[in-house]
Amino acid sequence: MNDNFDRAPGAGRTRNLPADPGFVGGTGDADSKTTLFNQREPLRQPRTSPPFAENNVSSTTDMVAGGRRFAGFFLFFLFVCFHISTVIFVQDPTCYDDGERYYGEATLADMVTDFLGHLSSSPGSFESDVDYITAVLNDWVTTEELLKELVELIYTQSTAIPNFSYTGARLCNYLSHHLTISPPNGNFRQLLLQRCRKEYEQRDVAVGGDTDTQKKFHSFVLFLGELYLHLEIKSGKGPPKRADILLTGLKDLMNSLFSNPVDANLICAVKLLKLTGSVLDDAWKESGKPHMEELIQRIETILLDATCSRDVRQMLLKLVELRSSDWGRVRAAAAASNATPENDPNYFMNEPTFYTEDGTPFTAADPEYAEKYQEILDRQDYFHDIYGENGNEV
C-alpha cells in the first residue's frame, strides 16, 4: 500500500511502460532512455500538419491536384479579364494607350479649366504664364464655336468664384488683344460683351429673386465692375480707352440694386462703388453728367426710409463719407512754379516766422504781412555792410 501511494502525482500513468522504470531521474544509460522513448505510443498529430509516412504519397498527390486546379482557375480569370478589357476597348475607341500614357483625347474645356484653376490658386503667376496660355489657346481655338465655348468657360469661372473676378477681367483684356481668331459674328471681346448683356437684361428680375438668383447676379455685377476697370479698347489715335457701354451698364445695374433695397442688394452696391466709385465719378464729371450725385441722393434716401440692418446702414454711411473725401484720394500739391495760396494748401507751410516789436509772431500768411515786415526793415537794416565793399572792416 505504501508503495502504491508514496509516489508523485501522475506517476505510473504512462501508456505501455516497460518493466524497468527509470526514464525520469533514473540511473539507466542513454540506450535505455532511447528504447523507452521509442516504445511510447505516438501522439496524435495536429490537423494542420502533414500526416506521417503512410499518408505522404496521398497528400502529395492531393497537393499536386489542388495546384493544378488553382492554376486552371487563375488562367480562366486572366482570360475573362482580357476578354472584358477587349470588349471595352472595341466599344469605346477613345480609351486607348499608344505608349505615351494618353487615356483619352483632351478637350478645350479640360484644358481651360486647368489653366483657370492654376491662375485662381496662383494669381501672382499671371504675368509669367499668360503668354503661354494665350499661345496654346491660339492653337486650339480655330472656330467660332470653340471661341464661344472659351468665352463661356472664362465667364463662368469669373462669376462663380468671387476672388477670381479680378484675374478673370485681366485675362479677358489680354485675350481680347492677343487671340488671333476673329470670326465674322464677333471677336473675343464682342462675344464676351454679348454674354454679359444676357445677364444685364435680367437685372430687374434678378434683384427680386431668391437667394441663389441674387447671389449669382451680384457676382456678375462685381465681375462687370472689374471688367470696366481692366478692359481696354485700342484705337488708331490716342491711348486705349475704357468701354463706355460698360459705364452705362454699371449705372443701370446700381439703379436696379437700389430699387430693391434689401441687405444683399445694398451690400453689392456698396462693394461696386468702393471698387469703381472714383473712376465712375471722374468719367461722369468729365462728360458733365450728374449720375454720381443722383446715386448718393438715392443712398441718403435709403438711409432715411429703408428698413435695412444696422450694419448695412453703417456701410452706406461710410460710403457717403468716402465720396465726400474724394474717394480717399490725396491730390498732389501744385508745382512750386505754379503754386498759389488758392491751389496749394501747403503754400505757406515752409515760410519763415517773424516777430513784431512787441514779440507777436507772424508769417507770410498774415494779412498785414507787408506792413509788419516793412516795419522790421525800417527798424533794423538787415543788409548793412559792416565789412565794407571789399570785405575790410569800416
Side-chain angles (χ1 to χ4, degrees):
M1 291 295 291
N2 294 333
D3 294 338
N4 293 333
F5 289 96
D6 188 11
R7 55 192 173 91
R13 296 183 183 181
T14 58
R15 291 172 293 180
N16 299 327
L17 291 175
D20 185 11
F23 175 73
V24 179
T27 58
D29 55 6
D31 294 338
S32 64
K33 293 178 182 179
T34 304
T35 303
L36 179 62
F37 181 79
N38 292 335
Q39 289 177 352
R40 291 186 178 185
E41 180 181 355
L43 298 177
R44 179 176 56 83
Q45 299 296 317
R47 294 181 180 180
T48 57
S49 63
F52 279 98
E54 62 270 19
N55 296 327
N56 283 347
V57 176
S58 61
S59 63
T60 304
T61 303
D62 295 338
M63 291 176 62
V64 172
R68 290 176 178 175
R69 286 194 297 271
F70 177 78
F73 175 78
F74 182 73
L75 292 175
F76 176 76
F77 176 77
L78 291 179
F79 171 78
V80 172
C81 292
F82 176 77
H83 178 71
I84 293 175
S85 62
T86 303
V87 172
I88 294 176
F89 181 83
V90 172
Q91 291 179 351
D92 188 7
T94 60
C95 299
Y96 64 92
D97 186 354
D98 60 355
E100 297 181 1
R101 298 178 63 185
Y102 287 101
Y103 296 95
E105 184 178 357
T107 63
L108 177 64
D110 296 334
M111 181 182 61
V112 173
T113 301
D114 291 341
F115 284 155
L116 298 181
H118 168 68
L119 293 178
S120 178
S121 60
S122 304
S125 64
F126 180 86
E127 297 292 343
S128 59
D129 296 341
V130 68
D131 290 335
Y132 169 75
I133 294 174
T134 306
V136 175
L137 291 177
N138 277 325
D139 292 337
W140 273 79
V141 182
T142 56
T143 62
E144 183 177 353
E145 290 73 15
L146 291 176
L147 183 60
K148 291 181 179 180
E149 182 180 358
L150 175 63
V151 170
E152 184 66 28
L153 290 170
I154 296 177
Y155 173 85
T156 301
Q157 180 84 355
S158 300
T159 54
I161 303 177
N163 293 334
F164 189 73
S165 58
Y166 167 76
T167 304
R170 295 180 64 195
L171 181 62
C172 289
N173 177 63
Y174 193 89
L175 294 179
S176 66
H177 299 297
H178 294 87
L179 278 183
T180 56
I181 183 174
S182 182
N185 294 330
N187 54 23
F188 177 85
R189 183 181 68 249
Q190 293 169 341
L191 293 178
L192 176 65
L193 295 178
Q194 291 176 12
R195 179 62 182 87
C196 293
R197 186 174 183 82
K198 293 181 180 179
E199 298 295 330
Y200 164 81
E201 292 175 349
Q202 302 296 323
R203 61 189 183 280
D204 293 332
V205 177
V207 294
D210 55 15
T211 303
D212 293 337
T213 303
Q214 288 184 357
K215 185 176 180 180
K216 180 181 177 182
F217 175 70
H218 298 158
S219 299
F220 158 70
V221 170
L222 296 178
F223 171 65
L224 200 69
E226 294 284 5
L227 203 61
Y228 175 71
L229 295 178
H230 294 93
L231 188 62
E232 298 177 339
I233 299 178
K234 295 181 179 180
S235 59
K237 299 179 181 179
K241 297 182 180 179
R242 292 188 172 94
D244 291 336
I245 188 174
L246 296 181
L247 181 65
T248 305
L250 290 175
K251 179 182 70 69
D252 295 339
L253 290 174
M254 281 186 284
N255 286 328
S256 297
L257 291 171
F258 288 134
S259 64
N260 189 7
V262 297
D263 285 357
N265 290 335
L266 295 177
I267 292 174
C268 179
V270 170
K271 290 181 178 180
L272 180 61
L273 285 174
K274 283 185 176 181
L275 176 66
T276 62
S278 60
V279 180
L280 297 178
D281 204 352
D282 292 343
W284 286 330
K285 285 180 179 178
E286 184 179 354
S287 60
K289 298 177 181 178
H291 296 325
M292 185 58 67
E293 285 75 11
E294 294 173 356
L295 291 175
I296 297 299
Q297 289 177 2
R298 295 199 67 173
I299 293 176
E300 293 174 347
T301 303
I302 291 173
L303 288 171
L304 294 174
D305 300 335
T307 58
C308 56
S309 63
R310 183 178 63 181
D311 294 338
V312 175
R313 187 181 299 275
Q314 189 69 20
M315 292 174 63
L316 293 172
L317 287 173
K318 292 292 184 181
L319 181 64
V320 174
E321 293 177 2
L322 182 64
R323 198 262 175 171
S324 63
S325 65
D326 196 18
W327 306 100
R329 293 179 291 187
V330 178
R331 299 291 183 178
S337 59
N338 300 324
T340 63
E342 289 74 22
N343 64 14
D344 188 356
N346 302 323
Y347 182 79
F348 299 109
M349 179 175 293
N350 297 323
E351 292 292 333
T353 301
F354 302 97
Y355 295 89
T356 62
E357 186 176 3
D358 58 355
T360 303
F362 69 95
T363 63
D366 195 307
E368 300 177 355
Y369 167 77
E371 293 79 2
K372 293 180 180 180
Y373 188 71
Q374 186 63 42
E375 291 178 1
I376 293 177
L377 294 179
D378 295 340
R379 185 174 68 251
Q380 185 176 3
D381 187 2
Y382 278 95
F383 303 101
H384 177 65
D385 187 2
I386 61 175
Y387 292 102
E389 184 179 357
N390 297 322
N392 299 322
E393 186 177 357
V394 178

